[in-house]
Amino acid sequence: MAASEENSALFPIFILTIMAIPIVPYTITKLCRFATKKSKSIHCHCSECSKSGKYRKSIFKRISSVSTCSNFTLLLLWVVMIILVYYIKSMSGE
């Protein structure tokens, strides 16, 4: 009986480890790409170009570039990992 309880206690830790192996590097690469992404800069500094707003991104475009399906999935997986960590921590206290 003790071996069965021991294996069931280690299963959430195993799942957490398997989830963390691909999620952590993928998150790091996404953050690095986001940090190095260059926005369009205004080549002309005259008053007409700066007033026209041709190179300014609208708020809707900024939100839509951040809220993609892959970003939502990544956020959801991080929430699941945090819940698993909390579950493991509360389980080890017992």
Side-chain angles (χ1 to χ4, degrees):
M1 271 304 206
S4 176
E5 285 182 25
E6 187 175 306
N7 288 339
S8 66
L10 294 177
F11 186 70
I13 298 171
F14 173 74
I15 295 296
L16 179 68
T17 305
I18 295 300
M19 282 180 65
I21 289 172
I23 292 174
V24 172
Y26 183 69
T27 304
I28 291 170
T29 56
K30 289 251 324 166
L31 289 175
C32 288
R33 280 189 211 147
F34 183 73
T36 59
K37 193 180 206 183
K38 294 182 180 177
S39 62
K40 291 182 181 178
S41 62
I42 300 174
H43 300 292
C44 179
H45 296 290
C46 69
S47 62
E48 285 183 32
C49 291
S50 61
K51 287 181 184 177
S52 71
K54 180 179 178 183
Y55 294 102
R56 280 188 276 167
K57 274 186 150 179
S58 69
I59 292 174
F60 179 72
K61 285 184 180 179
R62 289 180 186 173
I63 291 172
S64 66
S65 69
V66 172
S67 62
T68 61
C69 186
S70 65
N71 289 345
F72 180 72
T73 305
L74 189 64
L75 179 68
L76 185 66
L77 288 171
W78 273 106
V79 168
V80 169
M81 283 183 55
I82 291 170
I83 291 170
L84 269 172
V85 167
Y86 179 74
Y87 176 74
I88 292 167
K89 185 178 177 183
S90 67
M91 187 176 63
S92 66
E94 296 173 1

